[in-house]
Every structure is written in C-alpha cells, then in structure tokens.
Amino acid sequence: MNFWETITGSDLTREWKAFEARAEALPADYRAAWEQIKVHLSPYSGFTGRNLMPILDGALGLLEETAADGQSIQEVLGDDVEGFCAALAGGEGARNHRDRWREQLNRNVARKLGQLGG
C-alpha cells in the first residue's frame, strides 16, 4: 500500500469489491449472514474502516470454508450473530464508537469543570 492509496482509500475500495465478489459465490443463507456480519461489525470500525478489513477477511473465509464443508449457517454462527461479531472485534468488552465518544465527552466535561473550579 502506497501513500496515495492510504490517503484516497482506493486500496479499501479494491478490497471491499473483492469481498463482495467472494460473498456472491456463497449460498443464499450464507450471503444473508455476511450482510448481518457487516452490519454488526461496523460499530467497531475506526475512522476509515481499515481496522476491520482483516476481521472481515477472516469472517468471510470462515463462511466460505464452512459452506464448502456443507455445514449449516446455524452450526457456524449460532443464534447470536451480534455476539459472534463482538467476539471477532475483540471480545464482549470491545469498545465501539459510542464508547469512544462517551469517553471523549467525559474527558472534555471533566477538563472544563476543572477549569471552572480552578
């Protein structure tokens, strides 16, 4: 990845298109699960989404492998796709964008209150 790709995000666009092409080859129930995985992983994304690319690649690889083995999507993901995605993103305690914004807001308020009191 060169500087220009990093700035423009063209590398991400290329990777995303490759993911979608791979997902199109999956059976319908697996494609539906892929859509759910993308939705449930998006809160864990950084500003550019670059941090999710390896996670999405791994999740799609898992779907491809298990579909080829003939497993049902229920056997692979279970009933809790959101929990599965939280585990992929770093566990139940994984911070999402709301947690980061809340922490930033709390720091800013504490700093302002410290300025008013001192």
Side-chain angles (χ1 to χ4, degrees):
M1 169 174 50
N2 65 35
F3 178 74
W4 183 250
E5 289 178 331
T6 302
I7 297 299
T8 63
S10 62
D11 60 321
L12 296 176
T13 303
R14 197 172 33 255
E15 273 188 78
W16 194 257
K17 286 180 182 179
F19 287 160
E20 292 303 321
R22 288 169 52 195
E24 282 298 314
L26 293 171
D29 54 342
Y30 276 81
R31 280 195 311 270
W34 169 246
E35 294 301 322
Q36 287 182 4
I37 288 171
K38 291 187 305 186
V39 167
H40 291 298
L41 278 176
S42 65
Y44 300 100
S45 174
F47 179 69
T48 63
R50 195 174 300 282
N51 65 317
L52 287 184
M53 295 313 246
I55 296 170
L56 288 167
D57 186 38
L60 186 55
L62 174 70
L63 293 178
E64 290 169 331
E65 191 173 315
T66 54
D69 289 345
Q71 291 180 297
S72 75
I73 198 66
Q74 290 295 84
E75 290 176 297
V76 179
L77 300 180
D79 293 328
D80 186 14
V81 176
E82 189 172 359
F84 173 81
C85 291
L88 281 178
E92 283 300 316
R95 293 177 10 171
N96 62 26
H97 65 277
R98 268 179 274 158
D99 297 327
R100 291 188 294 267
W101 288 342
R102 186 177 298 119
E103 289 171 7
Q104 182 180 5
L105 177 63
N106 288 340
R107 280 192 308 272
N108 290 342
V109 168
R111 188 173 53 243
K112 291 292 183 186
L113 288 176
Q115 289 174 355
L116 291 175

